[in-house]
Amino acid sequence: METALILSYLMLIYVLCRAFFYKDVVQPLVLFVVPVTLGLILYSVYFQNRWPVSDAAFKAYDVGLVSFVLGVSLYHMIGRQKYNVNQLDEMEWFKQVRVVPALVYLFGVWQTISAIRYLKNMGMFGSDLRDYFVTHPDDFPFGVVYGKCFLIFGGVFFLIKSFEDRWTVTRALVVFSAFALSITVSLYTQARTDVMMSVIPLIVVVSVCRVKDAKLSVAGIYGLFVIGLSYAVKYVLDFIEKSRFETQQVEFFSAGNQMFQYIGLPITAFDQWIVQPGREATTNGWGMIEFVDKVARMIDIKVPQTSFAPLGTFNVYSYLRDPYMAWGTLGLSVVMILAGILAAIIYYRAYAFKSYALIFYAVFANSIFMSFFSWQMANMVNVYALVFVGLIWFENKVRENNVGKI
């Protein structure tokens, strides 16, 4: 415990100093290290005496944390390249793309409004609705589960385009409606973590497009915007908590704080339900890539179970569960090194060009941030985001090859 806690403090101090120095709160190290290390710190302060954790779980924690930092650092030191592509040329073509983003945005609006109507007509509210949503996700229409993602994709595109080109009333309405509707559907599904899917992309785009190269005074203004947004998110999360659990007000800095529990307790569930029962390297790679698991189930291939805590008990295992169950501690290290390298590649290209890669990174950043909660770096949202970027690239190529015809 002591080694893991010291490592957490050192990593946290390092990335916070780095974030302040570079005026960059959305680089992969910050998004991963801050919530993960904060989780262990909160555990040591509020929950350690009640829920002790084994040395094996702390070892997995250390391995995962160090491996991701190593992967990002390796690419930063020896793999980062100076992009020779003309940034202005890429942005000029990016500005001309309009058909695919508009269609995806409209599809997202349609799916999200349909999802809200569906949830309203279910006649199920609070914790009952959320429990059913978690235990029977396949019973819900596509729009309820993924509709808001397409809304966010469109919102991110038009937000980047507005920053790099110009703001118009139409673009402002599109951006505002995209993020407002996506948060609204999260309120109906009672999904607190889904709220971050709407917030993190917004923060990423603002930071990369406006803060990183800005003067300190301008960065400070956007910093106040992020602080205000954080308070708004806290209000939304509190509203969802009261709707689900009807809990009474508790002191913010206490073990009863639900937010602290979701950040600080995953290591206890990981230890209790994964490490201690000896489930290391038992799934043979299943559970790592959601798309592969879905295809396997469609063709009646049995996918091993990865969730074990009974309904009503704490069942959040952090990102450690899936790679640890897939390939053990050594495999966890390899996976997180590769994840760190991939995150760094996407981030540096996103910052260099502020176009296609930034769209994907804005979405992928949420998966990095949510590592304290679960393994999300290979989920279906990122697959859909990659398809969206591919379609934009395709429209760009069509326009590039038909200049003056379209």
Side-chain angles (χ1 to χ4, degrees), residues 228-239:
L229 183 63
S230 300
Y231 273 101
V233 169
K234 182 183 181 301
Y235 175 81
V236 171
L237 296 178
D238 288 343
F239 177 82

Side-chain angles (χ1 to χ4, degrees), residues 195-324:
V195 173
M196 303 312 297
M197 190 188 301
S198 306
V199 174
I200 295 297
L202 180 61
I203 295 176
V204 168
V205 174
V206 170
S207 179
V208 173
C209 291
R210 281 294 178 266
V211 175
K212 199 170 187 303
D213 290 329
K215 296 180 180 179
L216 189 60
S217 58
V218 176
I221 293 173
Y222 282 101
L224 292 175
F225 162 77
V226 172
I227 293 173
L229 183 63
S230 300
Y231 273 101
V233 169
K234 182 183 181 301
Y235 175 81
V236 171
L237 296 178
D238 288 343
F239 177 82
I240 293 175
E241 180 179 334
K242 291 177 181 178
S243 300
R244 284 178 60 181
F245 304 106
E246 298 181 356
T247 54
Q248 297 181 349
Q249 187 69 27
V250 298
E251 293 184 14
F252 185 78
F253 293 101
S254 69
N257 186 316
Q258 289 267 338
M259 191 183 304
F260 283 9
Q261 292 176 14
Y262 266 83
I263 299 174
L265 285 180
I267 193 169
T268 65
F270 171 69
D271 181 53
Q272 180 181 358
W273 300 104
I274 308 299
V275 176
Q276 292 191 30
R279 295 190 169 104
E280 179 179 5
T282 55
T283 62
N284 298 317
W286 294 106
M288 287 294 302
I289 304 175
E290 186 180 0
F291 175 77
V292 174
D293 292 351
K294 283 183 175 293
V295 172
R297 292 190 182 98
M298 289 174 60
I299 57 178
D300 295 327
I301 295 177
K302 186 177 180 181
V303 178
Q305 179 185 359
T306 57
S307 186
F308 304 96
L311 191 65
T313 61
F314 192 81
N315 57 358
V316 174
Y317 310 92
S318 85
Y319 75 96
L320 293 169
R321 178 192 63 181
D322 294 335
Y324 182 85

Side-chain angles (χ1 to χ4, degrees), residues 96 169 366 387:
Q96 296 181 46
V169 174
N366 182 66
V387 172

Side-chain angles (χ1 to χ4, degrees), residues 74-117:
L74 283 174
Y75 186 78
H76 177 77
M77 289 186 298
I78 62 177
R80 183 175 53 167
Q81 65 187 73
K82 299 291 185 181
Y83 293 103
N84 296 319
V85 180
N86 189 317
Q87 177 178 337
L88 294 177
D89 285 349
E90 179 165 326
M91 180 50 65
E92 284 303 315
W93 284 114
F94 182 79
K95 291 176 182 177
Q96 296 181 46
V97 174
R98 60 177 69 93
V99 176
V100 169
L103 291 176
V104 168
Y105 166 76
L106 292 174
F107 176 76
V109 171
W110 169 50
Q111 289 291 304
T112 302
I113 293 176
S114 299
I116 293 173
R117 289 177 176 174

